[in-house]
Amino acid sequence: MPNLQCKTCRKAYSSNETFFDLTITSGGKAYDEAMPASTEVFRFPLVSFLYERGWRQSFSVFGGFPGPEEEFELIKDYINPVLGGNIVDASCGSGLFSRLFAKSGLFSFVFALDFSETMLQQCNEFIKQEANFPKEKIMLARADISRLPFASGTVDVVHAGAALHCWPSPSAAVAEISRVLRPGGMFVATTYILDGPFSLIPFLGPLRQNIAQISGSHIFLSNGELEDLCKACGLVDFKLRRNGIFVMICARKPN
């Protein structure tokens, strides 16, 4: 694949046979930069290999996730007004939903983004195994969720499956998502909420701050917290669907 260059800042971004590297360090010297454990763990080849070979399925057993096909149907219901546009599958992992989006024919183009090189390699392997996969409808790219490689107001849909709680700064990430969404564009995501009896644990609030600092993972404690997050980042028409601790949210960029 050819390299890319930003028309504004003229920065060049490298690529390989699998994906474009659109991170800020693309094409530069390799430096050891400390990243949260919740980010680094998904860069291990074994974790990436296992993600669709048992790891993701456990979400349905222990977390109330309905499963990819049913989740996809719920997503379509939420984003029906913008079907036919482009979609960014943020923190796409091994591309479980990216591939569903591309094969559905419901989107003009799919951008599959993840910070993990090994996850993107797994996604590419799955694509190569599928006959008649519409490769012209998808692009794989390594990118930072807090620095999305898109111009403001150019994206129709951003999807983030089981990822919001893994982002080092959910507020920075959602603000960036709000920036790239076009007016009327939609953000849809799934995550976990620990409320109900969990919220009665007196030290859970301070504990989650320590967990976030150490691992980079964020524990959401209420529906309202997710709604406030979207509102603070300029998104409106917040909607939420729950099943146990599983939650799917959707919000819209104002017209």
Side-chain angles (χ1 to χ4, degrees):
M1 291 190 294
N3 291 343
L4 296 177
Q5 186 177 53
C6 176
K7 293 181 179 179
T8 302
C9 68
R10 314 307 295 177
K11 175 177 171 56
Y13 293 90
S14 62
S15 65
N16 55 38
E17 295 181 356
T18 303
F19 59 87
F20 290 97
D21 188 343
L22 304 182
T23 60
I24 188 64
T25 56
S26 175
K29 295 181 179 179
Y31 293 99
D32 291 329
E33 185 176 6
M35 297 295 290
S38 60
T39 298
E40 288 297 320
V41 68
F42 292 108
R43 300 177 74 185
F44 289 118
L46 180 60
V47 172
S48 298
F49 179 82
L50 293 175
Y51 189 75
E52 281 190 49
R53 298 174 175 89
W55 185 311
R56 187 54 163 79
Q57 289 85 338
S58 69
F59 295 1
S60 300
V61 177
F62 301 108
F65 277 63
E69 289 75 18
E70 187 174 342
E71 287 175 50
F72 186 29
E73 293 302 315
L74 296 175
I75 292 168
K76 287 192 295 183
D77 288 343
Y78 273 141
I79 65 172
N80 185 66
V82 289
L83 288 177
N86 60 50
I87 184 169
V88 172
D89 192 15
S91 297
C92 67
S94 55
L96 180 60
F97 284 95
S98 304
R99 304 194 309 275
L100 288 174
F101 296 151
K103 292 185 294 183
S104 72
L106 297 174
F107 304 96
S108 59
F109 199 79
V110 179
F111 297 93
L113 307 186
D114 204 279
F115 192 77
S116 168
E117 306 91 325
T118 56
M119 281 292 193
L120 293 169
Q121 289 163 1
Q122 283 294 316
C123 180
N124 186 58
E125 289 300 316
F126 284 124
I127 287 174
K128 290 193 297 185
Q129 292 169 16
E130 294 196 41
N132 303 315
F133 186 91
K135 297 179 181 179
E136 72 281 0
K137 289 284 190 177
I138 191 170
M139 185 183 86
L140 277 57
R142 182 171 184 249
D144 186 341
I145 189 61
S146 296
R147 189 180 181 276
L148 293 173
F150 301 101
S152 300
T154 58
V155 175
D156 294 294
V157 186
V158 175
H159 167 260
L164 190 58
H165 49 277
C166 294
W167 293 342
S169 173
S171 57
V174 177
E176 183 69 348
I177 288 168
S178 179
R179 178 189 69 80
V180 304
L181 284 174
R182 68 167 178 80
M186 312 286 287
F187 169 51
V188 60
T190 55
T191 186
Y192 297 98
I193 291 182
L194 293 182
D195 59 3
F198 295 101
S199 63
L200 301 177
I201 302 175
F203 54 83
L204 184 57
L207 177 62
R208 74 167 180 167
Q209 299 300 324
N210 293 331
I211 292 173
Q213 291 175 1
I214 296 171
S215 70
S217 295
H218 191 90
I219 299 174
F220 292 101
L221 298 179
S222 70
N223 299 350
E225 185 178 0
L226 286 166
E227 183 173 6
D228 289 343
L229 171 63
C230 290
K231 286 183 177 179
C233 295
L235 301 177
V236 299
D237 294 343
F238 179 84
K239 297 180 178 65
L240 180 145
R241 186 189 301 257
R242 288 197 66 172
N243 178 31
I245 64 173
F246 161 83
V247 60
M248 176 178 287
I249 64 169
C250 181
R252 179 178 61 85
K253 181 77 171 285
N255 291 321

